[in-house]
């Protein structure tokens, strides 16, 4: 029996690839600026999104393998691991995106304008992509928790 969004389903693979793509975009946007390393929140965003990329990519490979082999990944031990991993990465992603958003709000609204030119737009894009990555990760974590609670 297959559940919507369960490990090894097409929806799970789509969610993992979405998380991976948004996190990679966030890192790419932030890393192409020359001053991101001066602010701890931006460095934390890069580290958090890097962890998100690794986690999402590995689970996407596992989902793909399960789909190709038509094997179930609904073992209680695996679901527990997915729940913990998803909640940890979701929490770190939200914290990093929120801290980085605070810095961008400081630059754009509190200080009146950003003095870094084009880099300011890259900061905003990076933060927006980080929030999108967090949103898809939170969807996965809720699905995994629901599956665990239903067992």
């Amino acid at each position: 029996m297959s559940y919507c969004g369960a490990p090894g389903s097409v929806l799970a693979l789509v969610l993992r690839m979405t998380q991976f793509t948004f996190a990679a975009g966030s890192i790419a946007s932030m890393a192409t600026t020359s001053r991101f390393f001066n602010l701890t929140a931006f460095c934390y965003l890069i580290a958090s999104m890097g962890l998100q990329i690794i986690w999402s990519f590995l689970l996407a490979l596992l989902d793909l393998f399960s789909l190709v082999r038509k094997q179930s990944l609904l073992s209680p031990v695996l679901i527990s691991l997915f729940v913990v991993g998803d909640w940890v990465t979701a929490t770190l992603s939200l914290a990093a995106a929120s801290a980085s958003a605070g810095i961008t709000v400081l630059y754009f609204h509190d200080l009146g304008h950003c003095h870094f030119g084009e880099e300011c737009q890259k900061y905003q894009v990076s933060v927006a992509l980080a929030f999108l990555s967090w949103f898809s990760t939170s969807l996965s974590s809720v699905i995994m928790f629901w599956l665990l609670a239903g067992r």
Side-chain angles (χ1 to χ4, degrees):
M1 178 177 218
S2 179
Y3 298 99
C4 183
S9 69
V10 175
L11 180 59
L13 179 63
V14 168
L15 281 171
R16 298 299 177 188
M17 293 309 298
T18 303
Q19 296 162 18
F20 176 86
T21 304
F22 286 142
S26 178
I27 287 178
S29 182
M30 186 65 72
T32 56
T33 66
S34 62
R35 294 183 181 96
F36 81 87
F37 54 87
N38 291 333
L39 295 164
T40 306
F42 291 162
C43 293
Y44 178 46
L45 180 71
I46 295 270
S48 174
M49 291 296 108
L51 178 64
Q52 184 64 55
I53 284 174
I54 293 167
W55 177 253
S56 298
F57 182 72
L58 291 175
L59 291 186
L61 287 178
L62 192 60
D63 287 333
L64 190 61
F65 178 76
S66 176
L67 284 169
V68 169
R69 302 284 304 253
K70 299 189 187 318
Q71 291 180 334
S72 175
L73 295 176
L74 294 178
S75 159
V77 173
L78 279 177
I79 298 292
S80 298
L81 175 69
F82 297 157
V83 166
V84 171
D86 280 344
W87 281 92
V88 166
T89 56
T91 302
L92 291 174
S93 296
L94 179 61
S98 298
S100 297
I103 297 297
T104 21
V105 166
L106 174 72
Y107 279 144
F108 279 93
H109 297 288
D110 297 343
L111 297 178
H113 64 287
C114 182
H115 298 287
F116 302 134
E118 184 182 305
E119 288 190 5
C120 294
Q121 282 74 34
K122 289 182 180 182
Y123 295 152
Q124 287 180 323
V125 168
S126 179
V127 168
L129 290 173
F131 274 112
L132 290 172
S133 179
W134 165 78
F135 182 73
S136 60
T137 305
S138 65
L139 283 176
S140 290
S141 64
V142 167
I143 290 170
M144 294 302 136
F145 186 69
W146 189 11
L147 288 171
L148 183 64
R151 292 207 134 295

